[in-house]
Amino acid sequence: MHSILRNVLYLFASLALVFCLVSPATAGTDALCSGNNATVECLKNNCEQLYSENYDLFWDIIYKSEKKAYSSGTVSDVRDYLELASIKDFNSVEFDEYLSEAMPKLFIMWPEMFLDALSISNEETVNGFVYLLQTPLGDNETEITALMKKYGKDSKYKIIMDKYFANNSDNISE
């Protein structure tokens, strides 16, 4: 009888140990937006939660995406980075300031690459980025408008230019 009771206790102890080892609460690989899921897409879908639960990872994803956008030279990497501009309803002054400062500066450095990336982006991203160009931090507005006029005559950027100049006192033809 004692051996049966002891075997049952061992069985329950073994099952409890296995359950604890497999539990998501103890599995570090299941952290939000970690590993292969450390992407702008994951950040967009979990913005508030990631910012509050893993602030360092939140900014790490953003900075890695920015670095990839300007170091790789591919339109798809720039498009992925630009998707940050489509994040809405996220109340972080720090994040808003980052976008309003970093994105217009990078646009000034590589306008054609950014416009090409925008031309294959979704409408939310285009609207968000155009807003950032219209309201940059610093004194970049004149330079941005000049670049938009320069590239504005290219038909592949028409939708972007229409949005930019719709609420802007300047226009492409000047």
Side-chain angles (χ1 to χ4, degrees):
M1 182 73 166
H2 286 3
S3 65
I4 294 175
L5 185 56
R6 185 176 31 175
N7 287 341
V8 170
L9 287 174
Y10 283 137
L11 177 64
F12 282 121
S14 298
L15 288 174
L17 179 62
V18 168
F19 177 75
C20 287
L21 292 175
V22 177
S23 170
T26 60
T29 58
D30 289 344
L32 185 63
C33 298
S34 66
N36 290 338
N37 287 327
T39 63
V40 169
E41 186 65 29
C42 185
L43 185 144
K44 278 178 48 182
N45 294 332
N46 303 285
C47 200
E48 293 276 349
Q49 184 180 357
L50 185 62
Y51 186 81
S52 66
E53 292 179 7
N54 198 339
Y55 179 85
D56 291 338
L57 181 58
F58 175 90
W59 286 106
D60 188 49
I61 292 170
I62 290 171
Y63 294 138
K64 283 182 180 176
S65 178
E66 177 185 345
K67 183 177 181 180
K68 193 174 180 183
Y70 69 77
S71 66
S72 75
T74 68
V75 172
S76 62
D77 286 338
V78 174
R79 183 197 60 219
D80 291 345
Y81 173 67
L82 290 176
E83 286 197 16
L84 292 170
S86 70
I87 296 174
K88 292 183 170 58
D89 302 323
F90 176 55
N91 297 319
S92 168
V93 172
E94 180 182 22
F95 179 70
D96 292 344
E97 285 179 0
Y98 165 79
L99 292 179
S100 295
E101 189 173 324
M103 287 200 173
K105 283 183 181 177
L106 290 171
F107 170 76
I108 290 167
M109 294 168 67
W110 299 288
E112 193 167 7
M113 176 68 76
F114 272 64
L115 290 169
D116 286 345
L118 277 177
S119 68
I120 60 169
S121 295
N122 62 42
E123 187 174 0
E124 287 179 330
T125 299
V126 172
N127 290 340
F129 188 73
V130 165
Y131 174 78
L132 292 170
L133 292 181
Q134 291 171 330
T135 59
L137 284 182
D139 56 356
N140 299 326
E141 193 170 348
T142 304
E143 194 170 359
I144 290 168
T145 300
L147 286 168
M148 294 299 272
K149 287 180 182 180
K150 176 182 176 181
Y151 290 96
K153 294 177 180 27
D154 191 327
S155 63
K156 69 181 175 180
Y157 305 135
K158 181 177 178 2
I159 293 171
I160 300 162
M161 297 304 156
D162 288 348
K163 289 177 186 288
Y164 180 80
F165 289 108
N167 297 320
N168 194 318
S169 61
D170 296 315
N171 62 48
I172 295 174
S173 62
E174 290 181 359

